[in-house]
Amino acid sequence: MSTQAPPYRTAPYGSVVPGPWQWLIDDVPTELPDALPDWDYRTDLSLRQSVTVDVGLVRQATGLPPSAKLTLAMVWTASGSGLKAAGDRITLPESGIANVELGAVLQGIQLGGVLKLETTLVLAEYSEAGALASPRRAGSILWSSDYSTRLQGDAPLFPIAVVDFSKTQYPQGAGWHVEIGGDFETATMGALLLLVNERKQVLVDALRNAAKPRAVDRVVLSTVHTDVARTLIEYALQDQDFSLEADYGEESIGSTLQALVARFFPGQSVTHLRRTRDQSPTTFATELQHAVRIFEES
Amino acid sequence: MSVLFPRLLPRQAQALYDQYKSLTIEELEQQVALRHDSAVYAATGGDRVREKDLEKLRQTIVVAAREAGFPGRSTTNDRTDFDRKVAELLHRTLGLAPAEAAARDIWAFLALVVLPDISFWRFEKRTDERFLAKDLTRHVFGRLWWRAHLVHDPDGAKPYAALRILGEAAFDQIYARRRSLGGSPQLVRSILRVWHEIDTAGVNETDLLKDFLKRLLRLGAFMSFETLEDEQLAIEVRRAARDSLHAFTADRGPRHALS
């Protein structure tokens, strides 16, 4: 979201109070967690949020008269598909306190990756009736808040394919391979793929049991996690164009790699990390094991 | 229900491309297949596409290609017609989830395994971007699916009618701003509808479209287009288009007023 100050008066702090996003399973609401590990394209999401709006206060602060139509809406964005659309759009009353139930049923087929839910209060129709510095254009954002949940869990940051390595160019005895394609601006979901060798039964079992891992599965998953993190970070460091400051766009490979580097090596510069990796690769590998907390319970 | 397509991994795709780029269309026809030993499926949920459906898809696209001159030479108009037909066909029949369609490897599979003859006929220059899907906006088939997806109006009498409004170069202008503008089918449809209304006579259309989209990008910093109903959205998009048009028209006006 842009931090740019809008060229008009907005709703004050406290005039809109959103409740948590609820996820309806068989019409029973439960708070929407920040990750849905078992989600797939076949799962539609029924969502709801209660929001209280002090309409009088909003109008007073923005200078918008009762005739100016205000709408509270939810807009979702899915990083996997790159799509963005609205759920409910609710027209607010002329005055008073409004208790609004926002909702949407999102088709699984449209989603993937990180699902961002924005709750937004807007001026819904063009209005010249406002006071000085009041918003005029339809769609002008008066207040906004967002919440994100990672679909497909956060174990796979990207799709996994289980495949017989003897039918690929990779050595038959290998356990997994991280496919990375495209430039740093490419969408992460479309460009990363973790290939798992179906001949490595212990590995296939561990991935299958990821939701309820046994002791042996935990060890395997932690090993894979560490190695994938190392592969991705080394991929970033070996490319001289990679930097933590560049704007690669949301949910791009570049931003995913930036997030990984920042998470595992907070406060360290890319130059420093490159130097460590080049001058002391074994130390770098060990530091990474420490950073990803190998074999620790998550 | 989403259908999962096979993914041809980059190294295999590159190898096939290197092998195919010097072959004739007739030789490429001999390479057509519905499976590839090294193709993989993502374990993301959904059913794997059936080979008979891939075969049917191929046959339908071959028919469209023949109407456009395949395997011989074709005119620009023929190729434009082919693109429109295939865009609708791919989107209407593949059953792809958008997140699947964002995976470049599935497009490499279609272009190099199922339809190599058609792909290389469509793009005689045979540059790798058209086949390897390094950039979806350039891929022979990927760009068509996404174009259809973003203009598709499920409630309209002719859901794919907007495919006729913008040419490839112009559509690329929108798609290149996908993160900010092009990810919202409602906004894309509105842009297309308004663009269709504008009288661009005497104005450089490419520059005007760029300016129009830039204005929308700037407005997007403090406006939420998706919160608006279609009519209100069209009014705001039309206002931005009109501002662009006025700016361009003013530029062409006399510059001696103050002299």
Side-chain angles (χ1 to χ4, degrees), chain B residues 3-212:
Chain B
V3 177
L4 299 178
F5 276 71
R7 300 174 181 220
L8 187 64
L9 300 175
R11 209 174 299 179
Q12 278 90 11
Q14 182 70 51
L16 279 189
Y17 167 73
D18 290 340
Q19 183 191 338
Y20 288 178
K21 66 183 175 187
S22 55
L23 300 184
T24 64
I25 298 296
E26 290 70 27
E27 288 168 332
L28 286 165
E29 214 169 339
Q30 303 302 314
Q31 305 298 324
V32 170
L34 301 176
R35 68 175 76 167
H36 191 281
D37 276 350
S38 63
V40 302
Y41 288 86
T44 326
D47 295 330
R48 293 182 178 193
V49 67
R50 296 176 303 182
E51 283 190 9
K52 68 175 185 182
D53 291 332
L54 284 177
E55 172 66 31
K56 199 169 156 193
L57 172 72
R58 176 178 161 77
Q59 285 171 1
T60 321
I61 291 180
V62 168
V63 169
R66 287 197 191 286
E67 287 169 3
F70 174 82
R73 291 245 160 162
S74 57
T75 63
T76 305
N77 283 344
D78 289 337
R79 289 193 293 274
T80 305
D81 276 348
F82 170 78
D83 281 355
R84 282 182 194 140
K85 280 182 197 162
V86 174
E88 178 176 344
L89 179 75
L90 291 172
H91 190 259
R92 196 162 38 78
T93 62
L94 288 191
L96 268 180
E100 269 289 284
R104 302 162 316 138
D105 303 340
I106 66 160
W107 298 113
F109 180 87
L110 279 181
L112 292 163
V113 178
V114 181
L115 294 152
D117 47 347
I118 305 295
S119 311
F120 283 89
W121 162 79
R122 173 62 186 83
F123 284 104
E124 287 176 328
K125 284 190 181 167
R126 301 189 169 192
T127 49
D128 61 0
E129 62 184 2
R130 299 297 188 180
F131 311 94
L132 301 179
K134 290 175 177 176
D135 172 357
L136 277 179
T137 64
R138 310 289 294 161
H139 187 267
V140 55
F141 298 122
R143 74 200 162 99
L144 299 180
W145 189 94
W146 275 103
R147 201 182 297 178
H149 188 70
L150 292 175
V151 306
H152 177 232
D153 179 3
D155 302 323
K158 293 181 177 175
Y160 296 96
L163 281 170
R164 297 189 166 272
I165 295 176
L166 277 192
E168 175 162 3
F171 187 83
D172 284 353
Q173 295 283 339
I174 297 177
Y175 195 79
R177 294 164 177 82
R178 184 156 172 254
R179 282 192 209 107
S180 43
L181 300 178
S184 165
Q186 185 201 8
L187 179 57
V188 171
R189 287 198 297 271
S190 192
I191 291 171
L192 294 178
R193 192 184 313 150
V194 168
W195 183 251
H196 192 47
E197 297 167 1
I198 298 176
D199 178 7
T200 56
V203 178
N204 180 315
E205 280 199 16
T206 307
D207 290 344
L208 180 66
L209 181 62
K210 272 186 192 167
D211 186 81
F212 170 35

Side-chain angles (χ1 to χ4, degrees), chain A residues 5-11 61-62 121 132-137 139-143, chain B residues 219 221-224:
Chain A
Y8 51 77
R9 292 151 65 182
T10 56
T62 56
L121 174 64
L132 189 67
S134 288
R136 287 183 301 153
R137 289 180 184 267
S140 295
I141 299 170
L142 309 180
W143 175 93
Chain B
L219 291 171
F222 56 89
M223 283 173 67
S224 174

Side-chain angles (χ1 to χ4, degrees), chain A residues 52 86 204 224:
Chain A
T52 304
V204 175
V224 175

Side-chain angles (χ1 to χ4, degrees), chain A:
Chain A
M1 176 131 186
S2 171
T3 52
Q4 217 172 325
Y8 51 77
R9 292 151 65 182
T10 56
Y13 179 79
S15 59
V16 185
V17 181
W21 276 102
Q22 304 277 326
W23 174 29
L24 303 183
I25 308 167
D26 296 329
D27 291 331
V28 179
T30 175
E31 195 162 326
L32 183 67
D34 60 6
L36 295 175
D38 298 326
W39 179 90
D40 68 25
Y41 297 143
R42 287 180 273 207
T43 310
D44 294 343
L45 290 179
S46 186
L47 304 171
R48 186 195 292 167
Q49 183 187 37
S50 299
V51 185
T52 304
V53 184
D54 185 336
V55 184
L57 184 55
V58 170
R59 292 194 188 279
Q60 188 188 6
T62 56
L64 289 168
S67 59
K69 186 178 170 185
L70 301 181
T71 291
L72 190 71
M74 82 85 87
V75 174
W76 60 266
T77 310
S79 68
S81 61
L83 293 175
K84 186 175 190 182
D88 274 352
R89 302 175 176 110
I90 310 280
T91 302
L92 298 180
E94 292 186 359
S95 61
I97 305 285
N99 294 307
V100 182
E101 285 285 311
L102 271 183
V105 179
L106 310 186
Q107 286 183 294
I109 196 168
Q110 303 284 339
L111 310 177
V114 175
L115 175 67
K116 182 171 159 190
L117 307 172
E118 286 177 86
T119 308
T120 307
L121 174 64
V122 295
L123 174 63
E125 290 176 358
Y126 187 85
S127 170
E128 286 192 326
L132 189 67
S134 288
R136 287 183 301 153
R137 289 180 184 267
S140 295
I141 299 170
L142 309 180
W143 175 93
S144 182
S145 134
D146 61 68
Y147 179 78
S148 293
T149 183
R150 181 174 287 281
L151 304 175
Q152 296 152 301
D154 89 340
L157 277 168
F158 38 83
I160 295 176
V162 179
V163 60
D164 182 352
F165 270 30
S166 68
K167 291 180 178 169
T168 70
Q169 78 273 29
Y170 304 115
Q172 292 186 39
W176 59 89
H177 174 82
V178 185
E179 280 282 348
I180 312 172
D183 54 27
F184 289 129
E185 280 84 15
T186 308
T188 304
M189 287 294 290
L192 290 181
L193 185 65
L194 177 63
L195 294 174
V196 173
N197 190 351
E198 71 178 22
R199 293 183 173 213
K200 300 290 178 183
Q201 198 57 47
V202 66
L203 184 54
V204 175
D205 288 346
L207 288 167
R208 192 175 292 136
N209 299 332
K212 286 185 182 172
R214 302 164 299 168
V216 64
D217 300 327
R218 284 200 184 92
V219 173
V220 172
L221 290 171
S222 182
T223 308
V224 175
H225 181 219
T226 305
D227 187 61
V228 170
R230 183 190 57 74
T231 306
L232 290 175
I233 286 174
E234 292 207 328
Y235 178 85
L237 295 181
Q238 58 85 28
D239 191 321
Q240 295 303 316
D241 290 337
F242 177 77
S243 92
L244 290 176
E245 289 75 36
D247 179 8
Y248 298 120
E250 282 182 32
E251 299 303 322
S252 60
I253 294 181
S255 66
T256 300
L257 295 172
Q258 285 171 330
L260 271 181
V261 172
R263 179 172 154 200
F264 293 140
F265 297 104
Q268 299 193 42
S269 71
V270 169
T271 310
H272 170 76
L273 291 172
R274 278 197 185 112
R275 199 180 305 125
T276 310
R277 187 204 54 164
D278 292 344
Q279 295 176 349
S280 183
T282 53
T283 305
F284 181 75
T286 310
E287 283 182 1
L288 197 87
Q289 284 181 28
H290 167 75
V292 303
R293 299 165 60 205
I294 190 168
F295 303 140
E296 284 181 33
E297 294 285 333
S298 57

